[in-house]
Amino acid sequence: MGGQYRITGDKYPRLRRPKRRRRLVLTIVASVTALGLVGWGTLQLIDVFTGDEDQAAAAGPKADCATRVTSSPSPKASGSAAKDLPAPGRITVNVLNATPRAGLAKDTADELKQRGFRIGNVGNATEEYDKKVKGTAMLLGAKAAEDTALAVLNTQLTGAQSKTDGRKKATEVDLVIGTGFKALSTRKDADKALAALTSPEPTPTASKTC
């Protein structure tokens, strides 16, 4: 076989090495791409966590604060309680009838007596008020009785007007029955109004604690 095949020409075939350079380039590109993806994912995770913290900071103390509802008496109620309202037994009521209906003053006085009030004069109203009180009633008393004795008597009926005069005794008041009067409030309603006056319910207020 040695003499059968002959190489002719001045060029010889070159034996090429495996394509290692192309593989190296592809490996480098793949590595760079993988590193880029890892870095991008890391940035996304950092944004997620730092974003939550920023939102919590932007929310301020409201996110960490709880609202508590507390009760406190209203200024008006506190002022009335501070005056030490007199009990009905310490108040003398003069019941005067300014209407044409006979016996109205006596019946009203009897009912007030049953409710614990002391009764003074019972009869017809003076000329100043006789048939001139158009509403339910007119409550008269000293200036010092305006938020004390008159306020307590006012719990026994609705629609009454209050007026002060020059008398000195704060625990003696007049109930002048007007033409619009029908009856005293029911005992239940009167007791409820009196209890609210002497023991005012606190007003709820909201406060925040962190």
Side-chain angles (χ1 to χ4, degrees):
M1 294 180 62
Q4 187 176 357
Y5 297 96
R6 296 170 56 185
I7 299 175
T8 62
D10 55 357
K11 296 183 179 181
Y12 297 92
R14 180 180 296 177
L15 297 177
R16 296 181 179 179
R17 295 180 179 182
K19 300 179 180 180
R20 293 181 179 179
R21 182 177 299 177
R22 181 178 298 177
R23 292 180 180 178
L24 179 61
V25 171
L26 292 177
T27 302
I28 293 173
V29 171
S31 300
V32 172
T33 302
L35 290 174
L37 291 175
V38 172
W40 180 82
T42 303
L43 290 176
Q44 292 297 318
L45 291 175
I46 293 174
D47 289 340
V48 169
F49 288 105
T50 57
D52 292 340
E53 293 178 357
D54 292 340
Q55 291 178 359
K62 293 182 178 179
D64 298 328
C65 294
T67 300
R68 182 193 304 172
V69 177
T70 57
S71 298
S72 60
S74 62
K76 183 176 180 181
S78 298
S80 298
K83 291 182 181 297
D84 190 16
L85 296 172
R90 294 173 52 195
I91 302 174
T92 300
V93 183
N94 301 316
V95 184
L96 307 174
N97 186 6
T99 75
R101 290 179 286 173
L104 193 57
K106 184 180 182 304
D107 293 341
T108 303
D110 291 342
E111 180 63 27
L112 287 174
K113 186 176 181 179
Q114 292 180 9
R115 298 183 183 188
F117 289 87
R118 298 177 62 181
I119 303 301
N121 298 327
V122 179
N124 294 327
T126 60
E127 185 178 356
E128 181 181 1
Y129 296 104
D130 190 26
K131 300 179 180 61
K132 297 177 183 178
V133 180
K134 303 301 181 182
T136 301
M138 176 70 71
L139 306 182
L140 302 173
K143 180 65 177 178
E146 185 175 11
D147 294 329
T148 55
L150 289 177
V152 173
L153 180 59
N154 194 43
T155 62
Q156 305 302 304
L157 67 169
T158 58
Q161 298 178 352
S162 296
K163 183 179 179 181
T164 60
D165 53 23
R167 74 185 70 188
K168 301 299 182 181
K169 196 172 183 180
T171 57
E172 182 176 349
V173 295
D174 296 346
L175 169 58
V176 183
I177 301 174
T179 55
F181 180 85
K182 294 182 179 180
L184 294 173
S185 300
T186 64
R187 186 70 175 268
K188 180 179 179 181
D189 291 340
D191 290 344
K192 184 178 180 180
L194 183 59
L197 181 66
T198 56
S199 302
E201 294 182 357
T203 302
T205 57
S207 61
K208 293 181 180 179
T209 57
C210 297

